[in-house]
Amino acid sequence: PMPATFHQFPYLADNYGVLIRDDATGRTACVDAGDAAAVMAALQAQGWTLDELWITHWHHDHTDGMEELRDKTGCTVIGPGYKGGLALSFDKSVTAGDTFSLGETPVEVWHTPGHTLDMINFYLPEDGVIFTGDTLFAMGCGRVFEGSHAQMHESMDGLRALPAETVIYGGHEYTQANARFALSVDPGNAALIARAEEVDALRAEGQPTMPTTMAAELATNPFLRYGDPAIRAHLGMADATDAAVFSELRTQKDNF
Ligand code: FE
Ligand code: ZN
């Protein structure tokens, strides 16, 4: 099968949107729609036209441009089939296990609640790419607003099962702050120390630190490393459950 082409662009203070173009058919989607003007500018720069919007969750910084984009482009809006905090009208609502395709590119829908209850992620198994919204970030995870820590832990545990080479696009550039917290709980991790330096260098040049990969996250992201003996020793939780270690990490990050 022909691969898809991806184009990530920044919007608002620290958000990322991504355009996805199915190379076989030219059909194009955008993940999230917080800022219609930013999406239109990205499309114009690529010379692409929008066929679909894929919405990860109801938060304003991911949806405020949705109606304007539908009006301007006639795109089909695909969003979570779970109740969110806004009355949004999707053309197609999808839930865990649903599949659809962008042209010839297959897409799987995952449910990763915790940040919000409606959060869905879009996985492109043939491309080895996942869009994690505000669930999984480089070296971090989303703040748990609506779900429980246990729910977010389950979501992270599901994502952890993805192949190591999976490319991960998340919704925000939070990486430097995430790295500072990660170093506070995993200070002896050489891969983390090295990555934090790389990230500082990228940001100093105004470069994005995403997408990331599952391999990089498994090596450096404390919210996927709740089984790690050094982190557990640091927390004094050597024998605690994975869910308890995750919850303690999330609580510490909230207060960091
Ligand atoms: Fe959010
Ligand atoms: Zn967000």
Side-chain angles (χ1 to χ4, degrees), residues 18-21 27-31 50-54 102:
V18 183
L19 301 179
I20 305 140
R21 185 174 182 276
R27 280 189 72 83
T28 299
C30 182
V31 178
L50 192 65
D51 298 295
E52 298 181 9
L53 264 182
W54 301 350
L102 176 73

Side-chain angles (χ1 to χ4, degrees), residues 159-185:
L159 292 170
R160 244 179 140 271
L162 287 164
E165 62 272 18
T166 305
V167 173
I168 300 165
Y169 287 91
H172 291 268
E173 178 65 57
Y174 290 158
T175 312
Q176 273 184 305
N178 288 342
R180 282 194 292 277
F181 172 73
L183 286 165
S184 78
V185 292

Side-chain angles (χ1 to χ4, degrees), residues 92-178:
K92 192 157 93 180
S93 294
V94 291
T95 56
D98 284 351
T99 58
F100 63 97
S101 57
L102 176 73
E104 297 180 5
T105 298
V107 183
E108 286 177 12
V109 177
W110 291 35
H111 186 211
T112 62
H115 177 75
T116 61
L117 293 176
D118 71 336
M119 178 73 72
I120 58 172
N121 293 173
F122 299 93
Y123 178 47
L124 282 50
E126 286 186 5
D127 295 87
V129 171
I130 191 164
F131 298 91
T132 56
D134 288 359
T135 298
L136 176 61
F137 300 122
M139 290 185 272
C141 75
R143 194 176 268 263
V144 178
F145 287 119
E146 295 180 2
S148 62
H149 284 191
Q151 237 171 353
M152 189 61 141
H153 169 253
E154 262 182 56
S155 295
M156 300 301 277
D157 217 43
L159 292 170
R160 244 179 140 271
L162 287 164
E165 62 272 18
T166 305
V167 173
I168 300 165
Y169 287 91
H172 291 268
E173 178 65 57
Y174 290 158
T175 312
Q176 273 184 305
N178 288 342

Side-chain angles (χ1 to χ4, degrees), residues 15 57 61-62 134 172:
N15 281 80
H57 67 298
D61 60 311
H62 301 258
D134 288 359
H172 291 268

